[in-house]
């Protein structure tokens, strides 16, 4: 995340690069996704990220027509590799984290007021894809849930335990 002390042009370039990487990631996930509906959602997210990139190119005085998603990024390649091995649902927690980081950084950027709403919509969409909209409401309202990278592991363990306990209770109840 760029520092507020950086000049606007430097911040805008960092934002532009992040949006191009996000667009590349969503397009790659659309190619990996087997469900046509989910693939189309990823394509729509990529298009939105390209609109955000166009916003930053305009602020930088560059030509938005020359924009292309940034495909040669290690983060994009890693997420795509994971999505191919484990499915796109496996990478959604990291995508959600990225969208929440975008919301936070753009909320304090006067030139990004219009983008913040889009990023919130992206987070809701990804939450719907992950099937955990209720968890998103908690994460959005209570910032401490996303303050460290161990939160994803903690959420996975707690979710797994909840699933095991619920199923065990059901089996025990039926057996009784």
């Amino acid at each position: 995340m760029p520092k507020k002390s950086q000049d606007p042009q430097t911040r805008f370039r960092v934002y532009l690069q992040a949006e191009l990487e996000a667009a590349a990631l969503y397009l790659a996930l659309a190619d990996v996704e087997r469900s046509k509906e989910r693939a189309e959602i990823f394509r729509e997210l990529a298009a939105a990220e390209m609109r955000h990139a166009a916003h930053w190119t305009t602020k930088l005085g560059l030509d938005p027509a020359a924009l292309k998603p940034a495909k040669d990024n290690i983060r994009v390649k890693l997420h795509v590799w994971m999505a191919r091995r484990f499915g796109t649902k496996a990478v959604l927690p990291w995508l959600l984290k990225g969208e929440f980081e975008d919301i936070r950084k753009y909320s304090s950027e006067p030139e990004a007021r219009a983008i913040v709403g889009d990023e919130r919509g992206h987070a809701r969409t990804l939450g719907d894809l992950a099937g955990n909209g209720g968890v998103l409401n908690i994460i959005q309202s209570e910032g401490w849930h996303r303050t460290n990278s161990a939160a994803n592991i903690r959420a996975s363990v707690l979710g797994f335990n909840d699933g095991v306990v619920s199923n065990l209770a059901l089996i025990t109840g039926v057996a009784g």
Side-chain angles (χ1 to χ4, degrees), residues 26 29-30 33 38-46 88 129:
Y26 286 133
L29 291 176
E33 179 59 55
R38 290 172 61 95
E40 185 56 33
I41 290 170
F42 284 127
R43 284 188 193 87
E44 289 171 8
L45 289 169
T88 57
L129 286 176

Side-chain angles (χ1 to χ4, degrees), residues 83 110 119:
E119 297 296 346

